[in-house]
Tab-separated table of all heavy atoms in Angstrom:
chain	number	residue	atom	x	y	z
B	91	CYS	N	97.341	91.568	105.759
B	91	CYS	CA	96.947	90.962	104.503
B	91	CYS	C	96.489	92.086	103.573
B	91	CYS	O	95.928	93.085	104.042
B	91	CYS	CB	95.806	89.971	104.745
B	91	CYS	SG	95.197	89.149	103.278
B	92	ALA	N	96.724	91.933	102.289
B	92	ALA	CA	96.324	92.950	101.324
B	92	ALA	C	95.844	92.287	100.043
B	92	ALA	O	96.213	91.148	99.749
B	92	ALA	CB	97.480	93.899	101.021
B	93	SER	N	95.025	93.008	99.283
B	93	SER	CA	94.558	92.468	98.007
B	93	SER	C	94.420	93.589	96.993
B	93	SER	O	94.296	94.774	97.353
B	93	SER	CB	93.222	91.737	98.187
B	93	SER	OG	92.167	92.650	98.441
B	94	SER	N	94.437	93.208	95.725
B	94	SER	CA	94.261	94.191	94.656
B	94	SER	C	93.887	93.486	93.374
B	94	SER	O	94.027	92.259	93.247
B	94	SER	CB	95.551	94.991	94.432
B	94	SER	OG	96.552	94.173	93.850
B	95	HIS	N	93.413	94.290	92.422
B	95	HIS	CA	93.229	93.754	91.075
B	95	HIS	C	94.593	93.625	90.418
B	95	HIS	O	95.551	94.289	90.806
B	95	HIS	CB	92.341	94.688	90.250
B	95	HIS	CG	90.896	94.594	90.596
B	95	HIS	ND1	90.176	93.419	90.464
B	95	HIS	CD2	90.038	95.515	91.090
B	95	HIS	CE1	88.927	93.636	90.852
B	95	HIS	NE2	88.813	94.896	91.242
B	96	LEU	N	94.655	92.785	89.393
B	96	LEU	CA	95.894	92.623	88.638
B	96	LEU	C	95.835	93.318	87.287
B	96	LEU	O	96.771	93.236	86.519
B	96	LEU	CB	96.196	91.145	88.411
B	96	LEU	CG	97.138	90.492	89.414
B	96	LEU	CD1	97.353	89.034	89.064
B	96	LEU	CD2	98.480	91.221	89.450
B	97	THR	N	94.741	93.995	87.031
B	97	THR	CA	94.628	94.665	85.739
B	97	THR	C	95.682	95.753	85.640
B	97	THR	O	96.190	96.251	86.634
B	97	THR	CB	93.231	95.282	85.561
B	97	THR	OG1	92.919	96.033	86.736
B	97	THR	CG2	92.194	94.207	85.364
B	98	SER	N	95.964	96.111	84.421
B	98	SER	CA	97.079	96.991	84.094
B	98	SER	C	97.122	98.243	84.972
B	98	SER	O	96.165	98.989	85.064
B	98	SER	CB	96.969	97.406	82.627
B	98	SER	OG	97.926	98.381	82.319
B	99	GLY	N	98.245	98.453	85.610
B	99	GLY	CA	98.454	99.668	86.389
B	99	GLY	C	97.776	99.693	87.740
B	99	GLY	O	97.879	100.683	88.455
B	100	ARG	N	97.095	98.623	88.119
B	100	ARG	CA	96.368	98.680	89.388
B	100	ARG	C	96.916	97.706	90.427
B	100	ARG	O	96.397	97.624	91.528
B	100	ARG	CB	94.888	98.378	89.150
B	100	ARG	CG	94.209	99.371	88.237
B	100	ARG	CD	92.730	99.111	88.173
B	100	ARG	NE	92.095	99.335	89.467
B	100	ARG	CZ	90.822	99.059	89.719
B	100	ARG	NH1	90.068	98.520	88.782
B	100	ARG	NH2	90.304	99.286	90.903
B	101	HIS	N	97.947	96.991	90.049
B	101	HIS	CA	98.481	95.958	90.933
B	101	HIS	C	98.898	96.507	92.292
B	101	HIS	O	98.770	95.844	93.313
B	101	HIS	CB	99.664	95.295	90.236
B	101	HIS	CG	100.548	94.529	91.153
B	101	HIS	ND1	101.862	94.841	91.380
B	101	HIS	CD2	100.301	93.456	91.931
B	101	HIS	CE1	102.372	93.992	92.229
B	101	HIS	NE2	101.467	93.140	92.578
B	102	HIS	N	99.401	97.723	92.311
B	102	HIS	CA	99.891	98.268	93.571
B	102	HIS	C	98.858	99.111	94.302
B	102	HIS	O	99.164	99.719	95.324
B	102	HIS	CB	101.171	99.068	93.325
B	102	HIS	CG	102.322	98.212	92.897
B	102	HIS	ND1	102.894	98.281	91.653
B	102	HIS	CD2	102.995	97.247	93.563
B	102	HIS	CE1	103.875	97.401	91.569
B	102	HIS	NE2	103.962	96.762	92.703
B	103	GLU	N	97.643	99.163	93.803
B	103	GLU	CA	96.565	99.824	94.553
B	103	GLU	C	95.995	98.783	95.507
B	103	GLU	O	94.974	98.156	95.235
B	103	GLU	CB	95.459	100.276	93.614
B	103	GLU	CG	95.765	101.478	92.773
B	103	GLU	CD	94.565	101.850	91.909
B	103	GLU	OE1	93.436	101.878	92.425
B	103	GLU	OE2	94.785	102.087	90.704
B	104	GLN	N	96.671	98.588	96.598
B	104	GLN	CA	96.308	97.479	97.475
B	104	GLN	C	95.427	97.928	98.631
B	104	GLN	O	95.642	98.980	99.220
B	104	GLN	CB	97.569	96.796	97.995
B	104	GLN	CG	98.356	96.143	96.859
B	104	GLN	CD	99.527	95.319	97.310
B	104	GLN	OE1	99.650	94.967	98.483
B	104	GLN	NE2	100.404	94.996	96.383
B	105	TYR	N	94.440	97.074	98.925
B	105	TYR	CA	93.599	97.269	100.093
B	105	TYR	C	94.176	96.411	101.210
B	105	TYR	O	94.414	95.207	101.014
B	105	TYR	CB	92.171	96.808	99.810
B	105	TYR	CG	91.380	97.720	98.926
B	105	TYR	CD1	91.600	97.756	97.557
B	105	TYR	CD2	90.380	98.535	99.455
B	105	TYR	CE1	90.857	98.591	96.730
B	105	TYR	CE2	89.628	99.369	98.636
B	105	TYR	CZ	89.876	99.387	97.285
B	105	TYR	OH	89.145	100.205	96.477
B	106	PHE	N	94.383	97.003	102.355
B	106	PHE	CA	94.976	96.290	103.478
B	106	PHE	C	93.920	95.947	104.524
B	106	PHE	O	92.962	96.704	104.733
B	106	PHE	CB	96.058	97.141	104.143
B	106	PHE	CG	97.364	97.116	103.412
B	106	PHE	CD1	97.550	97.859	102.258
B	106	PHE	CD2	98.415	96.333	103.873
B	106	PHE	CE1	98.759	97.835	101.569
B	106	PHE	CE2	99.631	96.307	103.197
B	106	PHE	CZ	99.798	97.060	102.048
B	107	GLY	N	94.136	94.816	105.166
B	107	GLY	CA	93.320	94.456	106.313
B	107	GLY	C	93.725	95.257	107.541
B	107	GLY	O	94.702	96.013	107.501
B	108	PRO	N	93.018	95.064	108.653
B	108	PRO	CA	93.276	95.858	109.865
B	108	PRO	C	94.504	95.411	110.638
B	108	PRO	O	94.950	96.113	111.538
B	108	PRO	CB	92.012	95.643	110.694
B	108	PRO	CG	91.528	94.301	110.268
B	108	PRO	CD	91.862	94.177	108.812
B	109	GLY	N	95.051	94.263	110.291
B	109	GLY	CA	96.259	93.796	110.973
B	109	GLY	C	95.978	92.752	112.036
B	109	GLY	O	94.892	92.720	112.636
B	110	THR	N	96.961	91.890	112.241
B	110	THR	CA	96.922	90.885	113.310
B	110	THR	C	98.204	91.029	114.107
B	110	THR	O	99.300	90.896	113.559
B	110	THR	CB	96.832	89.460	112.720
B	110	THR	OG1	95.594	89.297	112.048
B	110	THR	CG2	96.965	88.416	113.828
Side-chain angles (χ1 to χ4, degrees):
Chain B
C91 179
S93 71
S94 70
H95 284 299
L96 265 180
T97 49
S98 173
R100 298 187 65 186
H101 163 243
H102 293 114
E103 286 182 46
Q104 295 187 15
Y105 286 76
F106 280 77
T110 294

